[in-house]
């Protein structure tokens, strides 16, 4: 499975940004997908995840109410809509695929995409 992420950039606090991640390869549509983020000198932290069918969704506490994960099953693309961005949201965001939603932890991810930088200025 290959994951291609895009959509990062430099924005101001309070702005919105949307990340995209397209999964391709054998059985790619069967994986739960999600996003993690990693700030400099910090560990990679969970942001949000969505089940293979696009029904089950989980958002991390720090982004609850501001970020929304969704999935377009037709092209196997997952989106992360980020609203009301804060400076503390600055990080490299990584797309991830896991066997199940339960496996959506940094140590149990099956596939990682390349990171995309999100920088929020004050």
């Amino acid at each position: 499975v290959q994951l291609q992420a895009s959509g990062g950039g430099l924005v101001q606090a309070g702005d919105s940004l949307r990340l995209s991640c397209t999964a391709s390869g054998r059985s790619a549509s069967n994986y739960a997908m999600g996003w993690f983020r990693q700030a400099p000198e910090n560990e990679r932290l969970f942001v949000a995840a969505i089940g293979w069918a696009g029904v089950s969704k989980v958002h991390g506490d720090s982004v609850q109410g501001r970020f929304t994960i969704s999935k377009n099953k037709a092209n196997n693309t997952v989106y992360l809509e980020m609203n009301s961005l804060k400076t503390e949201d600055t990080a490299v965001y990584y797309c991830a695929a896991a066997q199940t939603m339960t496996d959506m932890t940094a140590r149990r991810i099956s596939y990682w995409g390349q990171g995309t930088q999100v920088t929020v200025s004050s």
Side-chain angles (χ1 to χ4, degrees):
V1 175
Q2 294 81 44
L3 304 176
Q4 182 65 45
S6 62
L10 171 63
V11 296
Q12 292 187 325
D15 285 351
S16 298
L17 202 60
R18 188 177 79 162
L19 305 182
S20 301
C21 177
T22 299
S24 60
R26 184 177 181 181
S27 300
S29 61
N30 295 337
Y31 284 79
M33 293 178 66
W35 294 91
F36 289 73
R37 67 186 182 185
Q38 188 168 21
E41 301 184 12
N42 286 328
E43 61 183 324
R44 195 168 293 187
L45 300 176
F46 173 80
V47 176
I50 189 165
W52 69 271
V55 176
S56 299
K57 301 178 185 181
V58 177
H59 297 83
D61 290 343
S62 63
V63 305
Q64 186 74 40
R66 299 188 298 122
F67 292 11
T68 302
I69 192 168
S70 62
K71 181 178 181 179
N72 183 333
K73 292 176 63 178
N75 59 14
N76 212 31
T77 298
V78 171
Y79 304 97
L80 184 68
E81 190 72 39
M82 305 185 292
N83 298 316
S84 302
L85 282 161
K86 305 176 181 180
T87 55
E88 51 263 44
D89 294 319
T90 295
V92 177
Y93 284 69
Y94 293 90
C95 180
Q99 295 279 353
T100 68
M101 289 285 277
T102 304
D103 294 316
M104 196 57 72
T105 65
R107 295 186 177 183
R108 297 170 67 174
I109 293 298
S110 298
Y111 302 96
W112 291 102
Q114 89 285 8
T116 184
Q117 177 71 45
V118 172
T119 302
V120 184
S121 63
S122 59

